[in-house]
Amino acid sequence: MTDETPPKTESIHAPSEFEQLADEQQMGLMAEFWLFIKEEKKWWLTPIILVLLGVGVLVALTSTGAAPFIYTLF
């Protein structure tokens, strides 16, 4: 008596929507934020974000050699 098992066949299935989304390349933070503003029509957020970015740049520059030049602006 020989114990022969049938060969296993791999099931070929189309990837689900979840699997397709998992394989896609992820967007960056700025691209995702821009898409959010554009899709949700939140244009009033743009000036707030620009001011926050400007303040962040000023804070970052105060710790560099450009600090004396920035202080003369104020």
Side-chain angles (χ1 to χ4, degrees):
M1 281 172 87
T2 61
D3 186 26
E4 293 184 21
T5 58
K8 294 183 180 180
T9 58
E10 295 181 14
S11 62
I12 300 174
H13 68 282
S16 67
E17 183 182 356
F18 179 75
E19 292 171 331
Q20 290 174 353
L21 290 174
D23 289 338
E24 288 182 6
Q25 185 177 359
Q26 293 184 356
M27 288 190 290
L29 180 65
M30 294 303 292
E32 191 169 340
F33 188 71
W34 175 252
L35 186 65
F36 168 75
I37 287 177
K38 192 171 78 171
E39 295 282 326
E40 300 294 327
K41 308 290 191 244
K42 303 287 186 189
W43 296 110
W44 56 270
L45 284 173
T46 306
I48 296 170
I49 298 301
L50 290 177
V51 168
L52 287 174
L53 286 174
V55 168
V57 167
L58 284 176
V59 168
L61 288 177
T62 56
S63 62
T64 64
F69 302 109
I70 293 173
Y71 291 135
T72 59
L73 295 175
F74 298 105

